[in-house]
Amino acid sequence: MFDSLSEKLESAFKQLKGEGRISEINVATTIKEIRRALIDADVNYKIAKEFTDKVKDKALGEKVLTSISPGQLMVKIVKDELTDLMGGTEADFDISQRPTIVLIAGLQGSGKTTFSGKLANFLKTKKGKKPLLVAADIYRPAAINQLQVLGEQVKVPVYAEVENKNAVEIARNAVEHAKKEGHNVIIIDTAGRLAIDEEMMQEVANVKNAVNPHEVLFVVDSMTGQDAVNTAKSFNDRLDFTGVVLTKLDGDTRGGAALTIKYTVNKPIKFVSMGEKLDTLDTFYPERMAQRILG
Ligand code: GDP
């Protein structure tokens, strides 16, 4: 078992006690440790390098106070920089429109449908909203069924048209239906494929253009590491999404994908998902993720 980066940094600086400045020499080795730890946590090499260069500049000449060890100071600098890079504070999720339309996109298996159920539950129980879930996956009848089961569990109605093979039509009809029934949030779960595919991309883009969603959330499995970043880029090029949902953070990933995705597409991570239970959805807090990457 490896020590966490925090522990490594603290031990690397143990010899530098009391008052002093962090020098070029004692920073060099730790910078390497930081870079390696970031890469281990799935942060892309180029980003890890840029990041550590910045940390190095910041750390050099930093006055070490007696109240805090140099190691702790390094940990603090790294944590603050990581937090900053991931957006600093939590991103806004605007549900003020009536109705607010939320489009959910991502690859099959990323956790889209589960997230849709969690989001509906979150908006209903924590925000007092009256959501409608929409099954717009026209390829897999099982997906409609899965959403219906989730809907029953969280007691949110699901709009589906089992015979209809036109996702744009389904989405448009769902919005009309929601307005009639007084739903103030509409969550549209779209079809995903196992890999990026033109037909799927075109379809999601068409649904987006048809219903003009206020939020387009891209759902990505945090366990997929660097692939997650490439997928995010493709989806963003096509959909210009408003935010990212990082799922399966209950696994053993360090969560570096969060940093790389934010850096690459420059879109905020809005939610994280930490399990299959429907009440586990949480807002994304950059500081908590920074702590997780640091270990
Ligand atoms: P979709 O194909 O994108 O709609 O993905 P699903 O919602 O069907 O999820 C795919 C699988 O991942 C299912 O077995 C889910 O139960 C599971 N899953 C979804 N979100 C999470 C999560 O946050 N943590 C874990 N451990 N599993 C998840």
Side-chain angles (χ1 to χ4, degrees), residues 80-92 258-259 262-263 266-269 284-287:
D80 288 351
E81 284 295 310
L82 281 175
T83 305
D84 242 34
L85 229 128
M86 288 187 288
T89 53
E90 60 265 36
D92 192 38
L259 183 72
K262 173 73 175 68
Y263 188 94
N266 197 24
K267 292 288 170 69
I269 294 158
F284 174 77
Y285 295 103
E287 197 187 329

mmCIF file of all heavy atoms in Angstrom, residues 80-92 258-259 262-263 266-269 284-287:
data_model
loop_
_atom_site.group_PDB
_atom_site.id
_atom_site.type_symbol
_atom_site.label_atom_id
_atom_site.label_comp_id
_atom_site.label_asym_id
_atom_site.label_seq_id
_atom_site.Cartn_x
_atom_site.Cartn_y
_atom_site.Cartn_z
ATOM 1 N N ASP A 80 -4.791 23.852 -2.286
ATOM 2 C CA ASP A 80 -5.417 25.105 -2.743
ATOM 3 C C ASP A 80 -5.407 25.217 -4.261
ATOM 4 O O ASP A 80 -6.385 25.620 -4.880
ATOM 5 C CB ASP A 80 -4.676 26.322 -2.156
ATOM 6 C CG ASP A 80 -4.950 26.486 -0.670
ATOM 7 O OD1 ASP A 80 -5.830 25.765 -0.154
ATOM 8 O OD2 ASP A 80 -4.277 27.326 -0.027
ATOM 9 N N GLU A 81 -4.280 24.828 -4.863
ATOM 10 C CA GLU A 81 -4.167 24.908 -6.322
ATOM 11 C C GLU A 81 -5.117 23.932 -7.005
ATOM 12 O O GLU A 81 -5.742 24.259 -8.004
ATOM 13 C CB GLU A 81 -2.722 24.618 -6.762
ATOM 14 C CG GLU A 81 -1.780 25.775 -6.522
ATOM 15 C CD GLU A 81 -2.116 27.003 -7.374
ATOM 16 O OE1 GLU A 81 -2.289 26.856 -8.581
ATOM 17 O OE2 GLU A 81 -2.207 28.108 -6.797
ATOM 18 N N LEU A 82 -5.208 22.713 -6.444
ATOM 19 C CA LEU A 82 -6.120 21.707 -7.009
ATOM 20 C C LEU A 82 -7.553 22.209 -6.930
ATOM 21 O O LEU A 82 -8.323 22.110 -7.890
ATOM 22 C CB LEU A 82 -6.013 20.383 -6.229
ATOM 23 C CG LEU A 82 -4.832 19.457 -6.517
ATOM 24 C CD1 LEU A 82 -4.848 18.278 -5.549
ATOM 25 C CD2 LEU A 82 -4.888 18.932 -7.945
ATOM 26 N N THR A 83 -7.892 22.767 -5.782
ATOM 27 C CA THR A 83 -9.251 23.269 -5.570
ATOM 28 C C THR A 83 -9.575 24.360 -6.583
ATOM 29 O O THR A 83 -10.626 24.357 -7.225
ATOM 30 C CB THR A 83 -9.393 23.827 -4.133
ATOM 31 O OG1 THR A 83 -9.012 22.805 -3.224
ATOM 32 C CG2 THR A 83 -10.825 24.249 -3.826
ATOM 33 N N ASP A 84 -8.622 25.243 -6.755
ATOM 34 C CA ASP A 84 -8.765 26.349 -7.707
ATOM 35 C C ASP A 84 -9.000 25.845 -9.120
ATOM 36 O O ASP A 84 -9.869 26.323 -9.833
ATOM 37 C CB ASP A 84 -7.445 27.126 -7.715
ATOM 38 C CG ASP A 84 -7.657 28.535 -7.253
ATOM 39 O OD1 ASP A 84 -8.525 28.721 -6.390
ATOM 40 O OD2 ASP A 84 -6.936 29.426 -7.760
ATOM 41 N N LEU A 85 -8.168 24.876 -9.479
ATOM 42 C CA LEU A 85 -8.249 24.338 -10.834
ATOM 43 C C LEU A 85 -9.578 23.665 -11.110
ATOM 44 O O LEU A 85 -10.045 23.603 -12.242
ATOM 45 C CB LEU A 85 -7.133 23.321 -11.016
ATOM 46 C CG LEU A 85 -6.338 23.527 -12.278
ATOM 47 C CD1 LEU A 85 -4.877 23.589 -11.945
ATOM 48 C CD2 LEU A 85 -6.580 22.442 -13.276
ATOM 49 N N MET A 86 -10.198 23.135 -10.068
ATOM 50 C CA MET A 86 -11.475 22.452 -10.269
ATOM 51 C C MET A 86 -12.650 23.397 -10.087
ATOM 52 O O MET A 86 -13.785 22.967 -9.925
ATOM 53 C CB MET A 86 -11.573 21.238 -9.355
ATOM 54 C CG MET A 86 -10.651 20.127 -9.843
ATOM 55 S SD MET A 86 -10.832 18.583 -8.959
ATOM 56 C CE MET A 86 -10.082 18.996 -7.410
ATOM 57 N N GLY A 87 -12.380 24.676 -10.078
ATOM 58 C CA GLY A 87 -13.465 25.654 -10.064
ATOM 59 C C GLY A 87 -13.583 26.444 -8.771
ATOM 60 O O GLY A 87 -14.413 27.339 -8.685
ATOM 61 N N GLY A 88 -12.811 26.085 -7.763
ATOM 62 C CA GLY A 88 -12.830 26.839 -6.510
ATOM 63 C C GLY A 88 -14.018 26.503 -5.623
ATOM 64 O O GLY A 88 -13.883 25.830 -4.618
ATOM 65 N N THR A 89 -15.174 26.969 -6.024
ATOM 66 C CA THR A 89 -16.366 26.677 -5.222
ATOM 67 C C THR A 89 -17.351 25.854 -6.048
ATOM 68 O O THR A 89 -17.143 25.663 -7.247
ATOM 69 C CB THR A 89 -17.078 27.978 -4.810
ATOM 70 O OG1 THR A 89 -17.309 28.729 -5.996
ATOM 71 C CG2 THR A 89 -16.250 28.783 -3.831
ATOM 72 N N GLU A 90 -18.406 25.393 -5.419
ATOM 73 C CA GLU A 90 -19.340 24.539 -6.152
ATOM 74 C C GLU A 90 -20.058 25.337 -7.239
ATOM 75 O O GLU A 90 -20.315 26.523 -7.082
ATOM 76 C CB GLU A 90 -20.320 23.821 -5.221
ATOM 77 C CG GLU A 90 -21.200 24.684 -4.377
ATOM 78 C CD GLU A 90 -20.634 24.919 -2.980
ATOM 79 O OE1 GLU A 90 -19.389 25.029 -2.828
ATOM 80 O OE2 GLU A 90 -21.441 25.027 -2.054
ATOM 81 N N ALA A 91 -20.346 24.636 -8.351
ATOM 82 C CA ALA A 91 -20.962 25.298 -9.499
ATOM 83 C C ALA A 91 -22.465 25.436 -9.294
ATOM 84 O O ALA A 91 -23.084 24.662 -8.570
ATOM 85 C CB ALA A 91 -20.679 24.497 -10.759
ATOM 86 N N ASP A 92 -23.030 26.405 -9.952
ATOM 87 C CA ASP A 92 -24.451 26.669 -9.854
ATOM 88 C C ASP A 92 -25.239 25.658 -10.694
ATOM 89 O O ASP A 92 -24.813 25.289 -11.783
ATOM 90 C CB ASP A 92 -24.664 28.085 -10.407
ATOM 91 C CG ASP A 92 -26.051 28.589 -10.097
ATOM 92 O OD1 ASP A 92 -26.538 28.301 -8.994
ATOM 93 O OD2 ASP A 92 -26.641 29.255 -10.971
ATOM 94 N N ALA A 258 -11.563 14.148 -12.669
ATOM 95 C CA ALA A 258 -12.276 15.408 -12.401
ATOM 96 C C ALA A 258 -11.407 16.590 -12.805
ATOM 97 O O ALA A 258 -11.856 17.519 -13.488
ATOM 98 C CB ALA A 258 -12.633 15.511 -10.918
ATOM 99 N N LEU A 259 -10.166 16.513 -12.401
ATOM 100 C CA LEU A 259 -9.232 17.603 -12.679
ATOM 101 C C LEU A 259 -8.967 17.719 -14.179
ATOM 102 O O LEU A 259 -9.018 18.807 -14.758
ATOM 103 C CB LEU A 259 -7.925 17.313 -11.939
ATOM 104 C CG LEU A 259 -6.842 18.364 -12.035
ATOM 105 C CD1 LEU A 259 -7.231 19.563 -11.204
ATOM 106 C CD2 LEU A 259 -5.526 17.807 -11.533
ATOM 107 N N LYS A 262 -12.081 18.977 -16.160
ATOM 108 C CA LYS A 262 -12.306 20.406 -15.940
ATOM 109 C C LYS A 262 -11.292 21.218 -16.745
ATOM 110 O O LYS A 262 -11.623 22.208 -17.387
ATOM 111 C CB LYS A 262 -12.198 20.720 -14.445
ATOM 112 C CG LYS A 262 -12.251 22.187 -14.086
ATOM 113 C CD LYS A 262 -13.676 22.746 -14.253
ATOM 114 C CE LYS A 262 -13.807 24.186 -13.798
ATOM 115 N NZ LYS A 262 -13.098 25.144 -14.640
ATOM 116 N N TYR A 263 -10.066 20.759 -16.702
ATOM 117 C CA TYR A 263 -8.990 21.462 -17.383
ATOM 118 C C TYR A 263 -9.167 21.403 -18.906
ATOM 119 O O TYR A 263 -8.973 22.392 -19.607
ATOM 120 C CB TYR A 263 -7.667 20.809 -16.982
ATOM 121 C CG TYR A 263 -6.448 21.549 -17.452
ATOM 122 C CD1 TYR A 263 -5.815 22.466 -16.629
ATOM 123 C CD2 TYR A 263 -5.916 21.312 -18.717
ATOM 124 C CE1 TYR A 263 -4.687 23.142 -17.048
ATOM 125 C CE2 TYR A 263 -4.788 21.982 -19.150
ATOM 126 C CZ TYR A 263 -4.173 22.890 -18.313
ATOM 127 O OH TYR A 263 -3.056 23.545 -18.734
ATOM 128 N N ASN A 266 -13.056 22.745 -19.764
ATOM 129 C CA ASN A 266 -13.393 23.955 -19.017
ATOM 130 C C ASN A 266 -14.896 24.101 -18.722
ATOM 131 O O ASN A 266 -15.481 25.169 -18.913
ATOM 132 C CB ASN A 266 -12.866 25.201 -19.740
ATOM 133 C CG ASN A 266 -12.829 26.398 -18.805
ATOM 134 O OD1 ASN A 266 -12.768 26.223 -17.585
ATOM 135 N ND2 ASN A 266 -12.906 27.595 -19.355
ATOM 136 N N LYS A 267 -15.482 22.997 -18.293
ATOM 137 C CA LYS A 267 -16.878 23.021 -17.854
ATOM 138 C C LYS A 267 -16.909 22.536 -16.407
ATOM 139 O O LYS A 267 -16.119 21.659 -16.041
ATOM 140 C CB LYS A 267 -17.731 22.088 -18.731
ATOM 141 C CG LYS A 267 -17.900 22.561 -20.164
ATOM 142 C CD LYS A 267 -18.813 23.765 -20.262
ATOM 143 C CE LYS A 267 -18.799 24.399 -21.645
ATOM 144 N NZ LYS A 267 -19.415 23.574 -22.665
ATOM 145 N N PRO A 268 -17.789 23.084 -15.611
ATOM 146 C CA PRO A 268 -17.790 22.687 -14.198
ATOM 147 C C PRO A 268 -18.327 21.281 -13.971
ATOM 148 O O PRO A 268 -19.198 20.818 -14.708
ATOM 149 C CB PRO A 268 -18.739 23.708 -13.567
ATOM 150 C CG PRO A 268 -19.625 24.149 -14.680
ATOM 151 C CD PRO A 268 -18.799 24.087 -15.927
ATOM 152 N N ILE A 269 -17.788 20.634 -12.959
ATOM 153 C CA ILE A 269 -18.373 19.373 -12.517
ATOM 154 C C ILE A 269 -19.462 19.770 -11.532
ATOM 155 O O ILE A 269 -19.208 20.521 -10.586
ATOM 156 C CB ILE A 269 -17.302 18.476 -11.896
ATOM 157 C CG1 ILE A 269 -16.326 18.086 -13.008
ATOM 158 C CG2 ILE A 269 -17.909 17.231 -11.269
ATOM 159 C CD1 ILE A 269 -14.991 17.674 -12.547
ATOM 160 N N PHE A 284 -20.920 18.571 -6.290
ATOM 161 C CA PHE A 284 -19.470 18.449 -6.381
ATOM 162 C C PHE A 284 -18.800 19.600 -5.630
ATOM 163 O O PHE A 284 -19.067 20.766 -5.910
ATOM 164 C CB PHE A 284 -19.051 18.482 -7.856
ATOM 165 C CG PHE A 284 -17.569 18.500 -8.072
ATOM 166 C CD1 PHE A 284 -16.808 17.348 -7.939
ATOM 167 C CD2 PHE A 284 -16.926 19.683 -8.419
ATOM 168 C CE1 PHE A 284 -15.435 17.366 -8.144
ATOM 169 C CE2 PHE A 284 -15.544 19.708 -8.629
ATOM 170 C CZ PHE A 284 -14.804 18.545 -8.491
ATOM 171 N N TYR A 285 -17.952 19.251 -4.668
ATOM 172 C CA TYR A 285 -17.191 20.267 -3.944
ATOM 173 C C TYR A 285 -15.714 20.147 -4.324
ATOM 174 O O TYR A 285 -15.073 19.144 -3.970
ATOM 175 C CB TYR A 285 -17.354 20.090 -2.430
ATOM 176 C CG TYR A 285 -18.764 20.323 -1.960
ATOM 177 C CD1 TYR A 285 -19.597 19.253 -1.640
ATOM 178 C CD2 TYR A 285 -19.280 21.615 -1.853
ATOM 179 C CE1 TYR A 285 -20.900 19.462 -1.217
ATOM 180 C CE2 TYR A 285 -20.585 21.836 -1.431
ATOM 181 C CZ TYR A 285 -21.390 20.754 -1.120
ATOM 182 O OH TYR A 285 -22.678 20.957 -0.718
ATOM 183 N N PRO A 286 -15.167 21.149 -5.035
ATOM 184 C CA PRO A 286 -13.771 21.072 -5.473
ATOM 185 C C PRO A 286 -12.796 20.758 -4.335
ATOM 186 O O PRO A 286 -11.861 19.979 -4.502
ATOM 187 C CB PRO A 286 -13.508 22.465 -6.054
ATOM 188 C CG PRO A 286 -14.844 22.923 -6.518
ATOM 189 C CD PRO A 286 -15.821 22.375 -5.515
ATOM 190 N N GLU A 287 -13.043 21.317 -3.162
ATOM 191 C CA GLU A 287 -12.107 21.109 -2.068
ATOM 192 C C GLU A 287 -12.074 19.642 -1.610
ATOM 193 O O GLU A 287 -11.015 19.090 -1.325
ATOM 194 C CB GLU A 287 -12.470 22.026 -0.905
ATOM 195 C CG GLU A 287 -11.327 22.164 0.072
ATOM 196 C CD GLU A 287 -11.717 22.936 1.309
ATOM 197 O OE1 GLU A 287 -12.582 23.826 1.206
ATOM 198 O OE2 GLU A 287 -11.154 22.631 2.375
#
